[in-house]
Amino acid sequence: MAQDTVGIVDKKYFHFAHPPDEMEFECGQRLGPLTLAYETYGELNRNRDNAVLILHALTGDSHAAGYYSGEDKPGWWENMIGPGKGIDTNKYFVICSNVIGGCMGSTGPSSTDPRTGKPYALSFPLITIGDMVQAQKHLIDSLGIERLLTVIGGSMGGMQALEWSVRFPEMIHSAIPVATATKHSAMAIAFNEVSRQAIMNDPNWNNGDYYHRSQPQHGQAVARMIGHVTYLSDIALHKKFDGPNNGATGREGGFFTEFPVSNYLRYQGQKFVHRFDANSLLYLTRATDSFNLAQRYGDGSLVQAFSRASCKYLVLSFSSDWLYPTSQSRAMVKAMKKNNIMVTFCEIDIDYGHDSFLVHNPKQAALVSGFLDQVHREDG
Amino acid sequence: MAQDTVGIVDKKYFHFAHPPDEMEFECGQRLGPLTLAYETYGELNRNRDNAVLILHALTGDSHAAGYYSGEDKPGWWENMIGPGKGIDTNKYFVICSNVIGGCMGSTGPSSTDPRTGKPYALSFPLITIGDMVQAQKHLIDSLGIERLLTVIGGSMGGMQALEWSVRFPEMIHSAIPVATATKHSAMAIAFNEVSRQAIMNDPNWNNGDYYHRSQPQHGQAVARMIGHVTYLSDIALHKKFDGPNNGATGREGGFFTEFPVSNYLRYQGQKFVHRFDANSLLYLTRATDSFNLAQRYGDGSLVQAFSRASCKYLVLSFSSDWLYPTSQSRAMVKAMKKNNIMVTFCEIDIDYGHDSFLVHNPKQAALVSGFLDQVHREDG
C-alpha cells in the first residue's frame, strides 16, 4: 500500500434520534430515526479546529479515501485526501458522510420504513440540498465539533458547501465549492429530466415500488449513460475513443455496437445498476434541480443570499466543464464580492470536463492545500 | 393561406429499378426495388439549370414546404422555401426526398422485404451518407436534371451536401452545408450511442423485430428526448423554461414531473414515437456517426478529400450550436481554401443551438438567397 494513503478504513454509522426521533425536512415531512453512513480520516486535534467535511457528488458515498479491508479500489477522492495530499490527513481531521436520500448506508428511499416494514420508496420526503446539510449538521454536532475548518465538494457536493455557508455560517471557517452553481442551468435540468424519464419510463420502475422484484435496470443504465456523457468533455471523449473512421468496425461485436464508446457506455450503465438505487437517483437529481440559493436565502437575490455568509471561499471551476460552466462560478464570486467576502477564484485549465474534480488534478490539490493552510493559520 | 407559401403539395414516389432492380450499398449488400418519397416546388426552367436539392436532417422527411391537403401544419423548412423566400420557388425548382433508410415513404428497415413478405428490420443494409446520396442521384437522373444549381441541408442534410460535392462534383454548381461537420465529434457519437442504447435496451425492441407487436416506445421516447436537449442551446432552454425556483412546483402534476421542461420533453418523446420508426433512428444515427469525409475520400486528409470538389460552397454555422460547433465548420473551410475552392463562410449569431437552421432565421435566408442568385447568375 502506498505511503500517501490513509490505509484501511471502516464505514461508520451515525444514528440520530433528534427529539423525539425525527428530522423535519424542508417539505414539512418528518421522518425518523435516521442513519448517516460516514467515514473519518486523520485525527481531531485538541482545539477541535482542524475538521474538514467532504461533500460528495450525485452518486458518491462516504468512502472518500483509503481502502476497505480486502478491497483494492480506494475511495473516490483518494487522489485528494491522504498524508501530504491536497487535503492532508496529517494535519486535518476529515469527515465524509453519505447524503440523506442516498443508498450507500444513509437513510433513503430504499431503506425500510419502520412504520410499514417496507422500503420507503416514493413515500420518502422530497429532499433538498438543505436537508442533506441539516442531517450533516447533526452528525458534526455528535462528533463534538463546533466549527469546521472547511466544507468542500464538487458538483452536488459544491451545492452542499454553498448551502452550509449560508445556512450555518457560524459553524464554518471556510467553504470550497468546486465545479458547481447556485442554481442549475435549464440544460442541466433538462438532462436530469431525461435521465429521470428513462427510469420512470421503464415498466419495471412500477411507480417506485420495485424492491424485491425486477429492477428498472434498463432505464437506470440509460440514465447513467446520459450522466456520463455530460460529465465528460468532447476532448476527453475524443482522447479516449477517437480513431480513424470514428472507430467504426462494421458489425463485429454485435449490431450497432461498433463504436468504441458503445461498450464503454454500456459497461458504465451496467456497473451503475448494481451499485445504485434508481429511486435515490430520482430524489438526488431532483434535489440538485430544485437547488436555488438566491431564491431560498435571498428572495431571488444572490447578493442578498451571500450576505448571510461569514466564511472565506475558494471557488474552483474547470475550463472544459460545459455542464457547470465557469460563468456560473463567476456569477457567485461576483455576488460574494459585493458582500466584501474574502474569496479566491480560479478556473483550472484541464480537459476532463465536469469530472475534472474527480481525476488526478495537481492544480486543484495545490490550490486547496494552500487555501487550507492559510485559513488554518489565520483562524485556527 | 399566406402568399409566400408554395401552397398545397403532394408527396410523390420514385421507384427505381436500377439494373436489374437493385442498388449496391457501400457495405456491399444489394437491394431492390427501392422507393424514394419526394416532393417538388416551383418549376424546372427550360435550361434545366435552376434545380435545388434539399437534404433533410435525421428525423426530417420529403415534406419541406407547403401544406398537404386538409392539414394546417406546413413542411419543416416552410420558413426557407417559398415565393420570395431564402430559396425562392419563383426562381428555382426545389426537390426534397426522404432519405433511403428513412420511414417517411422511402425504403427503409420498416419496409416490406419482397423476398420474405416481412419488414426488413435488421436485415436492411447498414446505410451510409454515401448511400443516401447515391439514391438521390438516381432520382435526379430520373427527373432529367444533369446538374443541380445547389444541394443544401443542415446537420445530417449538411453531411449529404458535403458528400454530393465530392462524390458527384460534375453534377452540382454549388453546395450549402449548414450546421454540420465532415465527421462527428466523439461527443456527438456518444449522445447518439446513448440514444441507440435507450432503444436497444427496451425489451420491446426485440432485436429489431417489433413490427406488428409492441413497439420499443419507452426507449424511443427517451432517445428523442436526448436528441432534443442536444439540439437546443442552454439559452434557448432557459428562455423557454426558466422561472423562479427553477419552475419547481412541488408534487403537483405527478411525482418528479414538477419542472416545466418535464412535460415538454415527455410530449416531444411521445409525439416522436407515433411518427418515426425506431430502427430507422438506429440506422440513420449510425450513418451520421460513421460519416468521415477525410477517411472516405482523402485517405485521412480532408484537404485531399476536397480536392475532388469543383463547386462553390456557402458554409454556415451557428454561434450557439454546441453539438456541431463552429470550429468544425472552420476546419472544413480551411481544407476547401487549401484547394483554392471558392467558399463563403458565416457563423450566424443566434441563440437556438443546433436547431437554429430550422427556426425563423432571416440571416440564414438572406445569405442563402444572395449566394443562390450569384451562383445562378455566374453558372446558370
Side-chain angles (χ1 to χ4, degrees):
Chain A
M1 198 167 281
Q3 293 242 318
D4 60 351
T5 178
V6 297
I8 302 297
V9 298
D10 279 318
K11 193 186 278 197
K12 304 170 190 175
Y13 295 92
F14 164 60
H15 305 283
F16 62 106
H18 207 59
D21 66 348
E22 54 192 18
M23 172 175 142
E24 180 169 353
F25 289 76
E26 283 192 9
C27 64
Q29 263 186 276
R30 290 176 167 275
L31 212 70
L34 296 170
T35 298
L36 281 192
Y38 73 105
E39 296 181 19
T40 66
Y41 324 111
E43 291 187 20
L44 189 61
N45 64 10
R46 210 172 283 254
N47 293 338
R48 298 178 168 268
D49 66 5
N50 70 333
V52 168
L53 179 62
I54 310 290
L55 306 156
H56 70 72
L58 196 63
T59 62
D61 54 30
S62 62
H63 187 34
Y67 296 78
Y68 289 154
S69 177
E71 293 192 2
D72 58 2
K73 199 179 163 241
W76 56 269
W77 229 7
E78 176 73 4
N79 55 39
M80 272 293 287
I81 303 167
K85 293 188 181 175
I87 299 167
D88 188 344
T89 48
N90 288 331
K91 299 176 184 171
Y92 308 117
F93 176 61
V94 178
I95 309 151
C96 181
S97 88
N98 182 218
V99 294
I100 200 84
C103 52
M104 301 297 196
S106 295
T107 307
S110 59
S111 305
T112 302
D113 182 346
R115 297 166 301 183
T116 64
K118 292 179 183 167
Y120 286 105
L122 297 200
S123 72
F124 199 77
L126 282 180
I127 50 161
T128 63
I129 300 292
D131 292 327
M132 297 176 193
V133 167
Q134 186 66 47
Q136 287 156 1
K137 196 240 180 216
H138 292 306
L139 168 65
I140 299 305
D141 287 347
S142 80
L143 295 172
I145 296 165
E146 290 183 359
R147 207 164 173 213
L148 292 159
L149 181 63
T150 204
V151 288
I152 176 173
S155 198
M156 185 180 89
M159 290 179 171
Q160 293 164 67
L162 290 167
E163 176 84 23
W164 260 99
S165 72
V166 295
R167 191 181 185 101
F168 301 117
E170 70 289 355
M171 281 186 71
I172 61 170
H173 283 296
S174 68
I176 310 179
V178 182
T180 194
T182 61
K183 174 181 189 260
H184 256 178
S185 70
M187 175 159 290
I189 294 176
F191 277 120
N192 275 344
E193 182 59 35
V194 179
S195 295
R196 286 190 291 266
Q197 298 270 348
I199 290 171
M200 296 189 293
N201 261 358
D202 189 318
N204 284 345
W205 182 61
N206 193 32
N207 208 30
D209 184 15
Y210 54 78
Y211 302 103
H212 313 301
R213 29 182 293 174
S214 293
Q215 310 288 303
Q217 57 182 357
H218 296 307
Q220 192 181 344
V222 170
R224 182 52 170 177
M225 293 184 217
I226 295 168
H228 219 81
V229 177
T230 60
Y231 302 154
L232 289 172
S233 68
D234 185 45
I235 300 169
L237 281 163
H238 176 81
K239 281 185 180 169
K240 218 172 173 109
F241 298 112
D242 222 22
N245 198 23
N246 307 4
T249 58
R251 293 204 188 204
E252 294 152 31
F255 197 67
F256 290 120
T257 60
E258 70 260 59
F259 301 101
V261 71
S262 311
N263 290 329
Y264 172 77
L265 285 172
R266 183 178 303 200
Y267 170 74
Q268 293 294 338
Q270 285 311 315
K271 200 173 64 169
F272 184 63
V273 164
H274 296 296
R275 77 171 181 86
F276 213 81
D277 174 53
N279 282 340
S280 268
L281 193 73
L282 297 180
Y283 273 88
L284 299 184
T285 57
R286 185 204 169 274
T288 60
D289 287 343
S290 59
F291 182 62
N292 189 331
L293 207 71
Q295 183 77 14
R296 175 78 174 82
Y297 291 104
D299 208 16
S301 157
L302 202 53
V303 175
Q304 195 181 317
F306 279 117
S307 72
R308 303 168 58 106
S310 58
C311 68
K312 293 185 176 66
Y313 287 97
L314 171 63
V315 176
L316 299 179
S317 72
F318 304 111
S319 56
S320 54
D321 184 353
W322 56 273
L323 194 61
Y324 293 77
T326 292
S327 57
Q328 297 181 332
S329 290
R330 280 193 209 286
M332 74 177 80
V333 168
K334 201 171 158 188
M336 290 166 183
K337 282 193 170 164
K338 284 201 175 160
N339 285 291
N340 292 317
I341 289 169
M342 296 263 288
V343 51
T344 304
F345 165 61
C346 185
E347 181 193 53
I348 297 175
D349 195 21
I350 182 170
D351 282 347
Y352 291 90
H354 184 54
D355 268 354
S356 294
F357 72 96
L358 289 169
V359 302
H360 177 66
N361 190 334
K363 280 183 196 162
Q364 172 179 267
L367 283 160
V368 168
S369 166
F371 178 77
L372 285 182
D373 279 352
Q374 194 188 349
V375 176
H376 198 207
R377 204 165 44 237
E378 291 173 4
D379 296 318
Chain B
M1 196 166 284
Q3 293 243 317
D4 61 351
T5 178
V6 296
I8 303 297
V9 297
D10 278 318
K11 193 186 278 198
K12 305 169 189 176
Y13 295 91
F14 164 60
H15 305 283
F16 63 105
H18 207 58
D21 67 346
E22 54 192 17
M23 170 174 143
E24 179 168 355
F25 290 76
E26 283 191 10
C27 64
Q29 264 185 275
R30 290 177 167 274
L31 212 71
L34 296 170
T35 297
L36 282 191
Y38 72 104
E39 297 182 17
T40 65
Y41 324 111
E43 291 186 23
L44 189 61
N45 64 12
R46 210 171 282 254
N47 294 337
R48 297 178 170 269
D49 65 4
N50 70 332
V52 169
L53 178 62
I54 310 290
L55 307 155
H56 71 71
L58 197 63
T59 62
D61 54 31
S62 62
H63 188 34
Y67 296 78
Y68 289 153
S69 177
E71 292 192 3
D72 58 1
K73 199 178 162 244
W76 57 268
W77 229 8
E78 176 73 6
N79 55 40
M80 272 293 286
I81 303 168
K85 292 187 180 174
I87 299 167
D88 188 344
T89 48
N90 289 332
K91 298 177 184 170
Y92 308 116
F93 176 60
V94 179
I95 309 150
C96 181
S97 88
N98 183 217
V99 294
I100 199 85
C103 51
M104 301 299 195
S106 294
T107 308
S110 59
S111 305
T112 301
D113 181 347
R115 298 165 303 182
T116 64
K118 291 179 184 168
Y120 286 104
L122 297 201
S123 72
F124 200 77
L126 283 179
I127 49 161
T128 62
I129 300 292
D131 292 327
M132 297 175 193
V133 167
Q134 185 65 48
Q136 286 155 2
K137 196 241 179 213
H138 291 305
L139 168 64
I140 299 304
D141 286 346
S142 80
L143 295 172
I145 296 164
E146 289 182 1
R147 206 162 173 213
L148 292 159
L149 180 65
T150 203
V151 288
I152 176 172
S155 198
M156 186 180 89
M159 290 179 171
Q160 294 165 65
L162 290 167
E163 176 83 22
W164 261 99
S165 72
V166 295
R167 192 182 185 100
F168 300 116
E170 71 288 355
M171 281 187 70
I172 61 171
H173 284 296
S174 68
I176 310 179
V178 181
T180 195
T182 60
K183 174 180 189 263
H184 255 178
S185 70
M187 174 158 291
I189 294 175
F191 277 120
N192 274 344
E193 183 59 36
V194 179
S195 294
R196 286 191 291 267
Q197 298 271 346
I199 289 171
M200 296 190 293
N201 261 358
D202 189 319
N204 283 345
W205 182 60
N206 192 33
N207 207 30
D209 183 15
Y210 53 78
Y211 303 103
H212 311 301
R213 29 181 293 174
S214 294
Q215 309 289 301
Q217 57 181 358
H218 296 307
Q220 192 181 344
V222 170
R224 181 53 169 178
M225 294 184 216
I226 294 168
H228 219 81
V229 178
T230 60
Y231 302 154
L232 289 172
S233 68
D234 185 46
I235 300 169
L237 282 163
H238 176 81
K239 281 185 180 169
K240 215 171 175 110
F241 298 112
D242 221 23
N245 198 24
N246 306 4
T249 57
R251 293 204 188 204
E252 295 152 30
F255 197 67
F256 291 119
T257 60
E258 70 259 59
F259 300 101
V261 72
S262 311
N263 290 328
Y264 172 75
L265 286 173
R266 183 178 305 203
Y267 170 74
Q268 292 295 338
Q270 285 312 315
K271 199 172 64 167
F272 184 63
V273 164
H274 296 295
R275 79 171 179 87
F276 212 81
D277 174 53
N279 282 339
S280 268
L281 193 72
L282 298 180
Y283 273 88
L284 299 184
T285 57
R286 186 205 169 272
T288 61
D289 287 344
S290 58
F291 182 62
N292 189 331
L293 207 71
Q295 182 77 15
R296 175 79 174 81
Y297 291 104
D299 208 15
S301 156
L302 202 53
V303 175
Q304 195 182 316
F306 279 118
S307 72
R308 304 168 57 106
S310 57
C311 68
K312 294 185 176 65
Y313 287 97
L314 171 63
V315 176
L316 299 179
S317 72
F318 304 111
S319 55
S320 54
D321 184 352
W322 56 273
L323 194 62
Y324 293 77
T326 291
S327 56
Q328 297 181 333
S329 289
R330 281 192 209 285
M332 72 177 81
V333 168
K334 203 172 156 187
M336 290 166 183
K337 283 192 170 164
K338 284 201 176 160
N339 285 292
N340 292 317
I341 289 169
M342 297 265 288
V343 51
T344 303
F345 165 61
C346 185
E347 180 194 50
I348 297 175
D349 195 21
I350 183 169
D351 282 349
Y352 291 89
H354 184 55
D355 269 354
S356 294
F357 73 96
L358 290 170
V359 302
H360 177 66
N361 190 334
K363 279 184 197 163
Q364 171 178 268
L367 283 161
V368 168
S369 165
F371 179 77
L372 285 183
D373 278 352
Q374 195 189 348
V375 176
H376 198 206
R377 204 164 46 234
E378 290 172 5
D379 296 317

PDB file of all heavy atoms in Angstrom, chain A residues 117-138:
ATOM      1  N   GLY A 117     -42.528  -1.556   7.668  1.00  0.00           N
ATOM      2  CA  GLY A 117     -41.692  -2.722   7.435  1.00  0.00           C
ATOM      3  C   GLY A 117     -41.299  -2.890   5.974  1.00  0.00           C
ATOM      4  O   GLY A 117     -40.680  -3.875   5.589  1.00  0.00           O
ATOM      5  N   LYS A 118     -41.668  -1.908   5.131  1.00  0.00           N
ATOM      6  CA  LYS A 118     -41.330  -1.963   3.705  1.00  0.00           C
ATOM      7  C   LYS A 118     -40.441  -0.772   3.335  1.00  0.00           C
ATOM      8  O   LYS A 118     -40.392   0.218   4.080  1.00  0.00           O
ATOM      9  CB  LYS A 118     -42.614  -1.895   2.866  1.00  0.00           C
ATOM     10  CG  LYS A 118     -43.504  -3.111   2.989  1.00  0.00           C
ATOM     11  CD  LYS A 118     -44.746  -2.920   2.126  1.00  0.00           C
ATOM     12  CE  LYS A 118     -45.705  -4.093   2.292  1.00  0.00           C
ATOM     13  NZ  LYS A 118     -47.027  -3.790   1.728  1.00  0.00           N
ATOM     14  N   PRO A 119     -39.776  -0.837   2.198  1.00  0.00           N
ATOM     15  CA  PRO A 119     -38.958   0.324   1.788  1.00  0.00           C
ATOM     16  C   PRO A 119     -39.830   1.582   1.633  1.00  0.00           C
ATOM     17  O   PRO A 119     -40.980   1.487   1.222  1.00  0.00           O
ATOM     18  CB  PRO A 119     -38.391  -0.101   0.436  1.00  0.00           C
ATOM     19  CG  PRO A 119     -38.429  -1.584   0.446  1.00  0.00           C
ATOM     20  CD  PRO A 119     -39.641  -1.949   1.242  1.00  0.00           C
ATOM     21  N   TYR A 120     -39.230   2.723   1.979  1.00  0.00           N
ATOM     22  CA  TYR A 120     -39.973   3.982   1.827  1.00  0.00           C
ATOM     23  C   TYR A 120     -40.442   4.180   0.386  1.00  0.00           C
ATOM     24  O   TYR A 120     -41.536   4.634   0.132  1.00  0.00           O
ATOM     25  CB  TYR A 120     -39.077   5.176   2.188  1.00  0.00           C
ATOM     26  CG  TYR A 120     -38.821   5.355   3.662  1.00  0.00           C
ATOM     27  CD1 TYR A 120     -37.592   5.019   4.218  1.00  0.00           C
ATOM     28  CD2 TYR A 120     -39.800   5.904   4.487  1.00  0.00           C
ATOM     29  CE1 TYR A 120     -37.341   5.211   5.576  1.00  0.00           C
ATOM     30  CE2 TYR A 120     -39.564   6.090   5.843  1.00  0.00           C
ATOM     31  CZ  TYR A 120     -38.326   5.743   6.387  1.00  0.00           C
ATOM     32  OH  TYR A 120     -38.086   5.933   7.710  1.00  0.00           O
ATOM     33  N   ALA A 121     -39.572   3.865  -0.556  1.00  0.00           N
ATOM     34  CA  ALA A 121     -39.845   4.138  -1.984  1.00  0.00           C
ATOM     35  C   ALA A 121     -40.313   5.590  -2.124  1.00  0.00           C
ATOM     36  O   ALA A 121     -39.693   6.490  -1.554  1.00  0.00           O
ATOM     37  CB  ALA A 121     -40.843   3.148  -2.564  1.00  0.00           C
ATOM     38  N   LEU A 122     -41.406   5.827  -2.816  1.00  0.00           N
ATOM     39  CA  LEU A 122     -41.809   7.221  -3.079  1.00  0.00           C
ATOM     40  C   LEU A 122     -42.448   7.916  -1.879  1.00  0.00           C
ATOM     41  O   LEU A 122     -42.790   9.100  -1.972  1.00  0.00           O
ATOM     42  CB  LEU A 122     -42.766   7.289  -4.272  1.00  0.00           C
ATOM     43  CG  LEU A 122     -42.221   6.833  -5.619  1.00  0.00           C
ATOM     44  CD1 LEU A 122     -43.066   7.411  -6.747  1.00  0.00           C
ATOM     45  CD2 LEU A 122     -40.760   7.215  -5.816  1.00  0.00           C
ATOM     46  N   SER A 123     -42.611   7.215  -0.748  1.00  0.00           N
ATOM     47  CA  SER A 123     -43.122   7.908   0.439  1.00  0.00           C
ATOM     48  C   SER A 123     -41.987   8.653   1.159  1.00  0.00           C
ATOM     49  O   SER A 123     -42.237   9.380   2.116  1.00  0.00           O
ATOM     50  CB  SER A 123     -43.796   6.919   1.395  1.00  0.00           C
ATOM     51  OG  SER A 123     -42.837   6.100   2.033  1.00  0.00           O
ATOM     52  N   PHE A 124     -40.753   8.467   0.699  1.00  0.00           N
ATOM     53  CA  PHE A 124     -39.632   9.217   1.272  1.00  0.00           C
ATOM     54  C   PHE A 124     -39.834  10.698   0.932  1.00  0.00           C
ATOM     55  O   PHE A 124     -40.302  11.030  -0.157  1.00  0.00           O
ATOM     56  CB  PHE A 124     -38.310   8.708   0.684  1.00  0.00           C
ATOM     57  CG  PHE A 124     -37.111   9.080   1.510  1.00  0.00           C
ATOM     58  CD1 PHE A 124     -36.818   8.383   2.683  1.00  0.00           C
ATOM     59  CD2 PHE A 124     -36.279  10.129   1.139  1.00  0.00           C
ATOM     60  CE1 PHE A 124     -35.724   8.729   3.455  1.00  0.00           C
ATOM     61  CE2 PHE A 124     -35.183  10.476   1.913  1.00  0.00           C
ATOM     62  CZ  PHE A 124     -34.904   9.778   3.070  1.00  0.00           C
ATOM     63  N   PRO A 125     -39.508  11.580   1.883  1.00  0.00           N
ATOM     64  CA  PRO A 125     -39.724  13.015   1.608  1.00  0.00           C
ATOM     65  C   PRO A 125     -38.922  13.493   0.395  1.00  0.00           C
ATOM     66  O   PRO A 125     -37.830  12.998   0.133  1.00  0.00           O
ATOM     67  CB  PRO A 125     -39.213  13.698   2.886  1.00  0.00           C
ATOM     68  CG  PRO A 125     -39.118  12.635   3.917  1.00  0.00           C
ATOM     69  CD  PRO A 125     -38.920  11.340   3.204  1.00  0.00           C
ATOM     70  N   LEU A 126     -39.454  14.468  -0.315  1.00  0.00           N
ATOM     71  CA  LEU A 126     -38.731  15.083  -1.430  1.00  0.00           C
ATOM     72  C   LEU A 126     -37.604  15.930  -0.845  1.00  0.00           C
ATOM     73  O   LEU A 126     -37.810  17.092  -0.502  1.00  0.00           O
ATOM     74  CB  LEU A 126     -39.677  15.961  -2.256  1.00  0.00           C
ATOM     75  CG  LEU A 126     -40.621  15.261  -3.217  1.00  0.00           C
ATOM     76  CD1 LEU A 126     -41.478  16.271  -3.961  1.00  0.00           C
ATOM     77  CD2 LEU A 126     -39.837  14.413  -4.213  1.00  0.00           C
ATOM     78  N   ILE A 127     -36.435  15.347  -0.726  1.00  0.00           N
ATOM     79  CA  ILE A 127     -35.325  16.026  -0.050  1.00  0.00           C
ATOM     80  C   ILE A 127     -34.743  17.171  -0.877  1.00  0.00           C
ATOM     81  O   ILE A 127     -34.908  17.224  -2.095  1.00  0.00           O
ATOM     82  CB  ILE A 127     -34.186  15.038   0.286  1.00  0.00           C
ATOM     83  CG1 ILE A 127     -33.823  14.234  -0.966  1.00  0.00           C
ATOM     84  CG2 ILE A 127     -34.558  14.169   1.450  1.00  0.00           C
ATOM     85  CD1 ILE A 127     -32.489  13.600  -0.896  1.00  0.00           C
ATOM     86  N   THR A 128     -34.058  18.044  -0.170  1.00  0.00           N
ATOM     87  CA  THR A 128     -33.381  19.181  -0.789  1.00  0.00           C
ATOM     88  C   THR A 128     -31.903  19.164  -0.388  1.00  0.00           C
ATOM     89  O   THR A 128     -31.503  18.395   0.502  1.00  0.00           O
ATOM     90  CB  THR A 128     -33.977  20.510  -0.289  1.00  0.00           C
ATOM     91  OG1 THR A 128     -33.741  20.586   1.128  1.00  0.00           O
ATOM     92  CG2 THR A 128     -35.480  20.585  -0.562  1.00  0.00           C
ATOM     93  N   ILE A 129     -31.122  20.023  -1.026  1.00  0.00           N
ATOM     94  CA  ILE A 129     -29.727  20.184  -0.622  1.00  0.00           C
ATOM     95  C   ILE A 129     -29.693  20.649   0.845  1.00  0.00           C
ATOM     96  O   ILE A 129     -28.835  20.231   1.629  1.00  0.00           O
ATOM     97  CB  ILE A 129     -29.020  21.209  -1.536  1.00  0.00           C
ATOM     98  CG1 ILE A 129     -29.037  20.752  -3.007  1.00  0.00           C
ATOM     99  CG2 ILE A 129     -27.597  21.475  -1.056  1.00  0.00           C
ATOM    100  CD1 ILE A 129     -28.205  19.536  -3.314  1.00  0.00           C
ATOM    101  N   GLY A 130     -30.652  21.484   1.229  1.00  0.00           N
ATOM    102  CA  GLY A 130     -30.743  21.944   2.615  1.00  0.00           C
ATOM    103  C   GLY A 130     -30.944  20.799   3.593  1.00  0.00           C
ATOM    104  O   GLY A 130     -30.349  20.779   4.684  1.00  0.00           O
ATOM    105  N   ASP A 131     -31.767  19.820   3.227  1.00  0.00           N
ATOM    106  CA  ASP A 131     -31.983  18.654   4.089  1.00  0.00           C
ATOM    107  C   ASP A 131     -30.696  17.844   4.253  1.00  0.00           C
ATOM    108  O   ASP A 131     -30.399  17.334   5.334  1.00  0.00           O
ATOM    109  CB  ASP A 131     -33.082  17.759   3.502  1.00  0.00           C
ATOM    110  CG  ASP A 131     -34.448  18.412   3.543  1.00  0.00           C
ATOM    111  OD1 ASP A 131     -34.713  19.181   4.490  1.00  0.00           O
ATOM    112  OD2 ASP A 131     -35.257  18.155   2.629  1.00  0.00           O
ATOM    113  N   MET A 132     -29.932  17.717   3.168  1.00  0.00           N
ATOM    114  CA  MET A 132     -28.659  16.991   3.266  1.00  0.00           C
ATOM    115  C   MET A 132     -27.762  17.662   4.294  1.00  0.00           C
ATOM    116  O   MET A 132     -27.139  17.007   5.138  1.00  0.00           O
ATOM    117  CB  MET A 132     -27.936  16.994   1.903  1.00  0.00           C
ATOM    118  CG  MET A 132     -28.682  16.279   0.786  1.00  0.00           C
ATOM    119  SD  MET A 132     -27.783  16.445  -0.794  1.00  0.00           S
ATOM    120  CE  MET A 132     -29.069  15.886  -1.927  1.00  0.00           C
ATOM    121  N   VAL A 133     -27.706  18.994   4.223  1.00  0.00           N
ATOM    122  CA  VAL A 133     -26.831  19.759   5.116  1.00  0.00           C
ATOM    123  C   VAL A 133     -27.360  19.704   6.546  1.00  0.00           C
ATOM    124  O   VAL A 133     -26.592  19.583   7.506  1.00  0.00           O
ATOM    125  CB  VAL A 133     -26.701  21.210   4.599  1.00  0.00           C
ATOM    126  CG1 VAL A 133     -26.070  22.119   5.640  1.00  0.00           C
ATOM    127  CG2 VAL A 133     -25.896  21.216   3.294  1.00  0.00           C
ATOM    128  N   GLN A 134     -28.676  19.758   6.696  1.00  0.00           N
ATOM    129  CA  GLN A 134     -29.273  19.669   8.029  1.00  0.00           C
ATOM    130  C   GLN A 134     -28.879  18.348   8.696  1.00  0.00           C
ATOM    131  O   GLN A 134     -28.514  18.319   9.883  1.00  0.00           O
ATOM    132  CB  GLN A 134     -30.795  19.775   7.913  1.00  0.00           C
ATOM    133  CG  GLN A 134     -31.524  19.833   9.249  1.00  0.00           C
ATOM    134  CD  GLN A 134     -31.206  21.108  10.028  1.00  0.00           C
ATOM    135  OE1 GLN A 134     -31.243  22.202   9.474  1.00  0.00           O
ATOM    136  NE2 GLN A 134     -30.853  20.952  11.304  1.00  0.00           N
ATOM    137  N   ALA A 135     -28.948  17.267   7.964  1.00  0.00           N
ATOM    138  CA  ALA A 135     -28.578  15.954   8.512  1.00  0.00           C
ATOM    139  C   ALA A 135     -27.098  15.916   8.870  1.00  0.00           C
ATOM    140  O   ALA A 135     -26.703  15.399   9.932  1.00  0.00           O
ATOM    141  CB  ALA A 135     -28.917  14.856   7.498  1.00  0.00           C
ATOM    142  N   GLN A 136     -26.256  16.504   8.000  1.00  0.00           N
ATOM    143  CA  GLN A 136     -24.808  16.537   8.286  1.00  0.00           C
ATOM    144  C   GLN A 136     -24.531  17.330   9.555  1.00  0.00           C
ATOM    145  O   GLN A 136     -23.625  17.001  10.323  1.00  0.00           O
ATOM    146  CB  GLN A 136     -24.050  17.179   7.111  1.00  0.00           C
ATOM    147  CG  GLN A 136     -23.955  16.299   5.866  1.00  0.00           C
ATOM    148  CD  GLN A 136     -23.762  17.119   4.598  1.00  0.00           C
ATOM    149  OE1 GLN A 136     -23.680  18.344   4.632  1.00  0.00           O
ATOM    150  NE2 GLN A 136     -23.737  16.433   3.466  1.00  0.00           N
ATOM    151  N   LYS A 137     -25.303  18.357   9.786  1.00  0.00           N
ATOM    152  CA  LYS A 137     -25.113  19.191  10.978  1.00  0.00           C
ATOM    153  C   LYS A 137     -25.295  18.345  12.252  1.00  0.00           C
ATOM    154  O   LYS A 137     -24.547  18.474  13.214  1.00  0.00           O
ATOM    155  CB  LYS A 137     -26.107  20.354  10.957  1.00  0.00           C
ATOM    156  CG  LYS A 137     -25.749  21.472  11.928  1.00  0.00           C
ATOM    157  CD  LYS A 137     -26.842  21.702  12.947  1.00  0.00           C
ATOM    158  CE  LYS A 137     -26.459  22.819  13.889  1.00  0.00           C
ATOM    159  NZ  LYS A 137     -26.945  22.541  15.252  1.00  0.00           N
ATOM    160  N   HIS A 138     -26.294  17.465  12.238  1.00  0.00           N
ATOM    161  CA  HIS A 138     -26.498  16.576  13.380  1.00  0.00           C
ATOM    162  C   HIS A 138     -25.267  15.700  13.600  1.00  0.00           C
ATOM    163  O   HIS A 138     -24.844  15.470  14.741  1.00  0.00           O
ATOM    164  CB  HIS A 138     -27.734  15.688  13.162  1.00  0.00           C
ATOM    165  CG  HIS A 138     -29.023  16.446  13.185  1.00  0.00           C
ATOM    166  ND1 HIS A 138     -29.387  17.260  14.247  1.00  0.00           N
ATOM    167  CD2 HIS A 138     -30.048  16.514  12.298  1.00  0.00           C
ATOM    168  CE1 HIS A 138     -30.582  17.795  14.005  1.00  0.00           C
ATOM    169  NE2 HIS A 138     -30.994  17.373  12.813  1.00  0.00           N
TER     170      HIS A 138
END
